[in-house]
């Protein structure tokens, strides 16, 4: 489709394969529904037990209603309310922290957080600097209360709207509604100034993870797993290096899925789940459009299933 080579893609990004959702009228919810159904089955939870579902996405099925509502309906969550959140590639950690607050207040007992994106719907397959990166996926986690100090322990979340110029979609929103002109100008796709985003991503993701680790007296020995947003293998490596964490403690799935935006972190947790133990110290870290970024300290709550 574009002038590129496998060698360039592999060495500059670490990506080998991606998954693309195909078929007519298949939106992000299709993958979200599958993820939620799988989660309910695995955790032996009945759909009617779920109180709330938050879906983080930049590619909702429609501008409204929320994809969270569509997923809940098709997964049978008849007692759940929910909404979408958009914090670009940091969306999943923002939603995770939001969901955990509702648990901590004691108001709700079972909350599902879904990170899902059909990036292929907003990627310009004539733009070689973005079309080689993104893929489609969804992942979901279940949040429940406990008295053992497990789960979401702490987080640092940040945003800086001056990053808008480097990573955005030009049209389709209220500022530039869809028109023949915007379609002809290919403005309904991801626009990214890759090398600028790369620099911000490396320094901000590493800074915030280091700050959170220091706050909890954590170091390379006491952190069991680093789960970075999967945007580029070189960004993942730089974040791990800053924290002094060995490669074998870093969850890496970018080779198989590419950058799936809101799905990268739950997807990584799902791929590595059989290796996780109750009480493991896990640092999540993300960076994305906005700019948005942050780090979350999680103590894993389950033994392998
Ligand atoms: C997009 C990204 C992979 C590009 O890699 P890069 O090393 O920064 O490359 P640059 O954009 O500086 O481009 C370098 C050269 O490669 C070229 N190039 C870009 N894409 C290419 C491709 N697919 N194949 C071959 N060459 C390519 C550019 O045209 C440029 O050529 P030039 O020097 O002749 O102008 C990288 O910048 C990146 O991962 N950015 C961060 C993405 C991110 O973290 N996003 C966060 C939210 S999702």
């Amino acid at each position: 489709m574009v002038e590129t080579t496998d060698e360039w893609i592999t060495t500059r990004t670490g990506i080998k394969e991606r998954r693309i959702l195909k078929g007519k009228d298949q939106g992000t919810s299709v993958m979200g529904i599958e993820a939620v159904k799988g989660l309910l089955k695995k955790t032996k939870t009945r759909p009617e037990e779920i109180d709330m579902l938050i879906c983080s996405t930049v590619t909702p099925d429609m501008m409204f209603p929320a994809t969270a509502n569509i997923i809940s309906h098709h997964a049978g969550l008849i007692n759940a309310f929910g909404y979408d959140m958009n914090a670009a590639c940091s969306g999943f950690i923002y939603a995770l922290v939001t969901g955990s607050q509702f648990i901590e207040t004691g108001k709700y007992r079972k909350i599902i957080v879904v990170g899902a994106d059909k990036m292929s719907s907003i990627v310009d397959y004539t733009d070689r600097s973005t079309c080689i990166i993104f893929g489609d996926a969804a992942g979901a986690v279940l949040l429940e209360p406990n008295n053992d100090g497990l789960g979401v322990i702490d987080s640092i979340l940040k945003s800086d709207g001056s990053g808008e110029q480097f990573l955005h979609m030009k049209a389709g929103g209220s500022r530039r509604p869809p028109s023949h002109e915007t379609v002809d100008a290919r403005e309904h796709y991801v626009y990214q100034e890759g090398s600028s985003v790369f620099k911000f991503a490396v320094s901000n993701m590493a800074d915030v993870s280091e700050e959170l680790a220091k706050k909890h007296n954590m170091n390379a020995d006491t952190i069991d797993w680093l789960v970075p947003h999967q945007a580029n293998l070189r960004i993942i490596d730089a974040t791990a290096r800053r924290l002094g964490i060995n490669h074998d403690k870093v969850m890496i799935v970018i080779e198989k899925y590419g950058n799936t935006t809101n799905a990268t972190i739950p997807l990584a947790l799902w791929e590595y789940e059989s290796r996780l133990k109750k009480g493991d110290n896990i640092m999540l870290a993300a960076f994305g459009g906005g700019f948005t970024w942050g780090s979350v300290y999680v103590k894993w709550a389950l033994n392998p299933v």
Side-chain angles (χ1 to χ4, degrees), residues 3-5 8-9 12-13 89 128-129 132-134 167 192 194-195 197-198 201 229 231-232 234-235 259 287-289:
E3 205 182 315
T4 189
T5 60
W8 194 96
I9 298 171
R12 306 302 289 173
T13 69
C89 289
R128 69 177 181 174
S129 68
I132 51 126
I133 298 173
F134 294 102
L167 183 50
Q192 174 169 258
S195 53
V197 176
F198 187 93
H229 170 54
N232 186 313
R234 290 181 291 143
I235 301 176
N259 181 350
F287 183 87

Side-chain angles (χ1 to χ4, degrees), residues 34-47:
E34 284 301 310
V36 169
K37 283 185 176 169
L39 179 69
L40 292 172
K41 192 168 170 208
K42 184 165 68 176
T43 58
K44 300 186 175 59
T45 307
R46 284 177 289 115

